[in-house]
Amino acid sequence: MLKDVMMSRASVRKYSDKEVSDEMLNELFEASARTQTMGNLQLYSVVVTRSEEMKEKLAPAHFNQPMVKGAPVVLTICADFNRTSVWCKNRKAEPGYDNMLSFVNAASDALLFAQTFSCLAEEAGLGICYLGTTVYMPGMIIDALQLPKLVMPVATLTVGWPAEEPALSDRLPVASFVHSETYRDYLPADIDKYYKEKEALPENQKFVEINQKETLAQIFTDIRYTKRDNVALSASFMETLRKQGFLSD
Amino acid sequence: MLKDVMMSRASVRKYSDKEVSDEMLNELFEASARTQTMGNLQLYSVVVTRSEEMKEKLAPAHFNQPMVKGAPVVLTICADFNRTSVWCKNRKAEPGYDNMLSFVNAASDALLFAQTFSCLAEEAGLGICYLGTTVYMPGMIIDALQLPKLVMPVATLTVGWPAEEPALSDRLPVASFVHSETYRDYLPADIDKYYKEKEALPENQKFVEINQKETLAQIFTDIRYTKRDNVALSASFMETLRKQGFLSD
């Protein structure tokens, strides 16, 4: 059952030497393709990286996180309105998908596909890690994988057989993210209640201490995801979207 | 096994009168929350709609598709950097998440969560339908659900016990969306090969005929997803993102 898989899963960053066969990957892709998609158009593509040469090229775009070279397979999942547009042009139809809404639609299709793949792969015993760096320097990935216009990388998964059994990471209580009928904003007492467990974790307390911060939240705002980085990366993300032809209007 | 669920699934738009209990929903939310998330921040919220009054308010935003009022439960899944930002402000940390990159990160978290939920719900026997209309008129949804700044709806799921057994919809062959090492663009012969089955389906041929079109692709470009609509909806999507505080820079 997926339910049991989910309740015991954790991201895997170290992989054994055991091969992940093309046959297995294709079966996973076929089942993943049953995922809901806009107008049955399947607005995504997957680029499969196995060669050392291509991993070398992708690694810097992912801040040289060791999973890129350490995993037998790296999957770059892309929002893709190119294939559909080529189909239209070959069928006397004028595609109008060079705009933001079409990017949002294709990115949604791609991310839903990616997550079904992740669930199926973990159910099959594979270890998976998402690389959040995908949207930081998409231009480097586009160059390495030779992505044409109307194709934009939105998720990267490293895939292999697990060589580690990582501990489960913490999660907020369900009540913290579920709202009934309308959104009720968070009062200080809600925040205290919902973040108490996360803030009390020994590893988080140690992280705060090592970095000489006062609170765990400061680890996020001052070190991991700073305003300065976010602003710079937002600008380059939009620039890349434009370069890929999604902001023609 | 999720694999078997995926290979036989279809979106369900008609639901029986049987209740979907809060207990069941909460169990599904708990398992869905094990989904991968940026920095364990869980950058999403779910608004659960059960009341007739709220369904009435949401329906027009979804072009009055009958699933909104017909489903016992409607879930609006939102990219949410509000909760994390409130946490930061309550912890002497200055959040810097009012920008495009942060929206992309939160939207990704929300969509991955939504798809795990969909897989788990279908595994449990529930019927699910995504409403692609969510990103068409997000402003109406924001007003109805009272979403504050830094919260943006990205997916809507109607959920209930199935009262129909829809046929499986068609999918492109795996080879059409998987690329090895680098992206190889599509030649006319590739397009013919990959779209042949879709174009030959009796229901699609009938659709072309009824609408007095020449090709199936024209159904998409001229009727279902037109450039004119996409351009207008792109502008209002960006305007709403700005109103929700994600384009402050």
Side-chain angles (χ1 to χ4, degrees), chain A residues 2 9 33 42 46 48 80 91-92 101 115-116 123 171-172 177 179 181 183 199 214-215 218, chain B residues 2 33-34 42 46 48 80 91-92 115-116 123 171-172 177 179 181 183 199 214-215 218 234:
Chain A
L2 175 63
R9 71 160 297 284
Q42 298 177 251
V46 184
V48 180
D80 187 338
R91 296 293 186 268
K92 303 182 187 172
L101 188 84
Q115 185 53 20
T116 303
E123 182 180 73
R171 288 294 187 271
L172 298 171
F177 60 81
H179 302 254
E181 304 297 345
Y183 192 102
E199 292 173 321
E214 216 178 326
T215 68
Q218 289 174 353
Chain B
L2 176 62
R34 302 301 316 164
Q42 299 177 250
V46 184
V48 180
D80 186 339
R91 295 294 185 268
K92 303 181 188 174
Q115 185 53 20
T116 304
E123 183 180 72
R171 289 293 188 269
L172 298 171
F177 61 81
H179 303 254
E181 303 297 344
Y183 192 103
E199 292 173 320
E214 218 179 327
T215 68
Q218 289 174 353
S234 293

Side-chain angles (χ1 to χ4, degrees), chain B residues 76-79 103 134-135 138-139 141-142 145 147 151-156 237 244:
Chain B
T76 305
I77 293 139
C78 305
F103 169 67
T134 309
V135 293
I141 299 171
I142 288 163
L145 305 181
L147 306 180
V151 181
M152 180 82 175
V154 294
T156 302
F237 182 84
Q244 291 311 94

Side-chain angles (χ1 to χ4, degrees), chain B residues 210-224:
Chain B
I210 290 171
N211 288 283
Q212 298 181 297
K213 292 290 167 190
E214 218 179 327
T215 68
L216 180 63
Q218 289 174 353
I219 295 285
F220 290 94
T221 57
D222 301 355
I223 302 175
R224 293 188 66 180

Side-chain angles (χ1 to χ4, degrees), chain A residues 126-138:
Chain A
L126 290 167
I128 293 282
C129 188
Y130 274 94
L131 305 185
T133 38
T134 308
V135 293
Y136 289 3
M137 292 184 289

Side-chain angles (χ1 to χ4, degrees), chain B residues 11 16 18 24 32 36 59 77 97 104 131 142 159-160 181 183 192 206 208 213 225-226:
Chain B
S11 293
S16 78
K18 191 178 160 188
M24 182 178 193
S32 304
Q36 296 91 324
I77 293 139
Y97 308 118
V104 171
L131 306 185
I142 288 163
V159 182
E181 303 297 344
Y183 192 103
D192 290 348
K206 198 178 159 192
V208 172
K213 292 290 167 190
Y225 310 111
T226 68

